[in-house]
Amino acid sequence: YNHAQYIDGMLHKQGITDIPGQDSPFLPITMDRLNKYSRTDKESCLGDKVHITDYQSIVGALQYPAQHSTPAATATARILAQYMSEGHVRTEHMQAARHLAGYLKQHKHAEMVMEPGDVRITSGGDAGYASCMRTRRSRTGLWVKVGGATVL
C-alpha cells in the first residue's frame, strides 16, 4: 500500500474524489482569515457553521499523507487540526481542508523518502542564562539533524 493509493482511498472514503488538484497546500489569504477571525465575535464572516465531525474526519484523514508530503503540507495539516476540537468550524475551515486534499491529490506521487546513506543524527543546544532582559529568565534552544537535514 503506497502513498498514492492511500491518498486515493482517503479521497474516496471522504467522498471528494472529484476535488480539483491544487498547486499549493494552502491559500495564504484563507489561512490569514482563519487566524484572524476564528474564535472571535467576527467568525461568522468565515461562513456558515459546518458539522464538526465532518471537519474532524477530513482533517484527521489528511494528517498521515501530509506528513509524507511536503513541509508546507505538514504545517497546513497541523494548523487545520488546531480547530478540530472547537464548535466554531465554519465553511472556510472546510474549504481550507479540501484545498489541502486537492494539493495532496495532485502531488500524490511526490512522497518524501529517506534513501539509504548518511543517516547520522546530530544535535546541539544552547542556553542563555538569565538572558531575557525583561524577565531575567534563561532561554534555551536545540537543533536536531538527520543525515544533514534539520528536522527540529
Side-chain angles (χ1 to χ4, degrees):
Y1 207 63
N2 65 30
H3 186 66
Q5 289 173 323
Y6 180 89
I7 291 173
D8 288 339
M10 181 268 303
L11 294 171
H12 179 73
K13 184 177 180 183
Q14 294 297 322
I16 54 174
T17 54
D18 60 341
I19 198 164
Q22 302 293 336
D23 291 327
S24 69
F26 65 92
L27 294 173
I29 192 164
T30 300
M31 297 309 272
D32 288 344
R33 286 176 51 81
L34 293 181
N35 289 329
K36 183 176 182 178
Y37 297 117
S38 292
R39 296 181 228 121
T40 69
D41 57 348
K42 296 180 182 178
E43 74 179 1
S44 63
C45 73
L46 297 175
D48 296 331
K49 286 187 175 184
V50 298
H51 291 286
I52 189 71
T53 54
D54 294 341
Y55 182 76
Q56 290 170 333
S57 178
I58 190 170
V59 172
L62 292 171
Q63 296 301 311
Y64 176 76
Q67 296 294 323
H68 293 272
S69 184
T70 63
T74 302
T76 302
R78 181 181 47 80
I79 291 167
L80 294 175
Q82 292 175 356
Y83 303 108
M84 283 179 39
S85 64
E86 300 178 9
H88 305 282
V89 177
R90 302 284 180 153
T91 306
E92 280 194 47
H93 293 91
M94 186 64 88
Q95 288 171 343
R98 292 170 67 88
H99 187 93
L100 176 57
Y103 173 80
L104 293 171
K105 176 183 179 180
Q106 182 164 317
H107 299 277
K108 64 185 171 186
H109 296 291
E111 180 180 11
M112 285 194 300
V113 178
M114 189 168 186
E115 297 292 332
D118 180 19
V119 290
R120 283 180 291 160
I121 298 173
T122 56
S123 64
D126 192 15
Y129 299 103
S131 61
C132 178
M133 299 306 264
R134 187 175 58 79
T135 64
R136 303 307 296 165
R137 290 185 180 169
S138 299
R139 294 182 183 172
T140 59
L142 68 104
W143 54 265
V144 177
K145 291 185 176 189
V146 177
T150 303
V151 294
L152 175 66

